[in-house]
């Protein structure tokens, strides 16, 4: 069963991709030599440049040694997983392909020169324009999102339940659990789980929330709307 919801503003594809990059702690790297899952080995600069310091015993380090001029072609994968336990926790995957170029006095750090970017969400796959990706900024709530959603789910389950009053009643038929799935400057997304399957519903804010103070105000407004709807 689908979910009825009104059209609402959402992050652009480039912003969504930059948010995935900003928040990702792990990076999957595939080269001609093999595949690595690197933890805490990469960073992303303000302009979206990905820099990797491959561990000496990694497959990527071997690829650097085996490639001409120490510049292996690579496919990088970044997964965006929901911080709250839900089914199908991976909300999106971002792939960047291109050449890794050594930088620094000893060449120990690699910089990706991207040639293609692809964002896969639960429902769609998008080619991301590289110029737009470089120019985009992450969503202002991206880094705070894990603790915000975890706090909402663990400390305020009654608030999550109240927010379902903003969803069309027929969309809640058969729902056995509701969890906060995502939040960005434009709205909150809830995961509706049924015995078989699930659906996501987006509840928009009345205006974008560009910091935590604004987010608190937007959430209070949503809860006030939910309480008001209950009393009708």
């Amino acid at each position: 069963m689908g979910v009825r919801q009104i059209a609402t503003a959402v992050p652009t594809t480039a912003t969504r991709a930059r948010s995935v990059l900003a928040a990702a702690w792990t990076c999957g790297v595939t080269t001609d030599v093999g595949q690595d899952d690197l933890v805490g080995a990469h960073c992303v600069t303000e302009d979206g440049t990905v820099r990797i310091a491959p561990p000496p015993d990694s497959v990527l380090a071997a690829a650097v040694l085996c490639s001409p001029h120490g510049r292996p072609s690579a496919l990088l994968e970044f997964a965006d997983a929901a911080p709250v336990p839900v089914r199908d926790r991976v909300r999106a995957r971002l792939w960047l392909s291109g050449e890794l170029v050594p930088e620094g006095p000893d060449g120990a750090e690699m910089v990706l020169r991207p040639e293609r970017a692809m964002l896969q969400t639960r429902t769609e796959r998008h080619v991301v324009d590289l110029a737009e990706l470089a120019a985009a900024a992450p969503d202002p709530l991206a880094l705070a999102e894990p603790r915000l959603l975890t706090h909402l789910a663990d400390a305020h389950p009654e608030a999550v339940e109240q927010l379902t009053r903003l969803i069309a009643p027929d969309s809640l038929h058969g729902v056995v659990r509701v969890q906060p799935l995502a939040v960005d400057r434009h709205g909150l997304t809830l995961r509706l789980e049924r015995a078989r399957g699930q659906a996501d519903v987006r509840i928009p804010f009345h205006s974008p929330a560009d910091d935590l103070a604004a987010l608190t105000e937007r959430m209070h407004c949503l809860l006030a709307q939910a309480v008001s709807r209950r009393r009708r």
Side-chain angles (χ1 to χ4, degrees), residues 83-190:
V84 175
V86 292
R87 302 171 188 163
D88 300 330
R89 291 184 70 169
V90 176
R91 303 177 297 189
R93 294 184 188 275
L94 176 67
W95 292 278
L96 301 177
S97 60
E99 185 181 55
L100 286 170
V101 179
E103 279 198 4
D106 56 1
E109 188 174 63
M110 310 298 294
V111 175
L112 179 69
R113 303 298 184 211
E115 299 171 359
R116 184 177 174 84
M118 181 82 69
L119 180 70
Q120 173 74 61
T121 67
R122 292 187 65 242
T123 58
E124 297 179 291
R125 177 172 290 195
H126 307 271
V127 175
V128 187
D129 182 89
L130 293 178
E132 293 179 2
L133 181 62
D139 186 271
L141 304 178
L143 296 181
E145 185 194 33
R147 63 181 175 84
L148 292 171
L149 293 183
T150 301
H151 178 75
L152 180 59
D154 292 346
H156 301 286
E158 75 289 345
V160 176
E161 178 63 28
Q162 287 181 335
L163 289 170
T164 62
R165 299 180 183 276
L166 301 176
I167 301 171
D170 60 345
S171 296
L172 297 172
H173 180 71
V175 171
V176 297
R177 188 173 74 150
V178 181
Q179 289 279 53
L181 179 71
V183 67
D184 56 63
R185 66 192 295 262
H186 297 293
L188 174 72
T189 301
L190 300 180

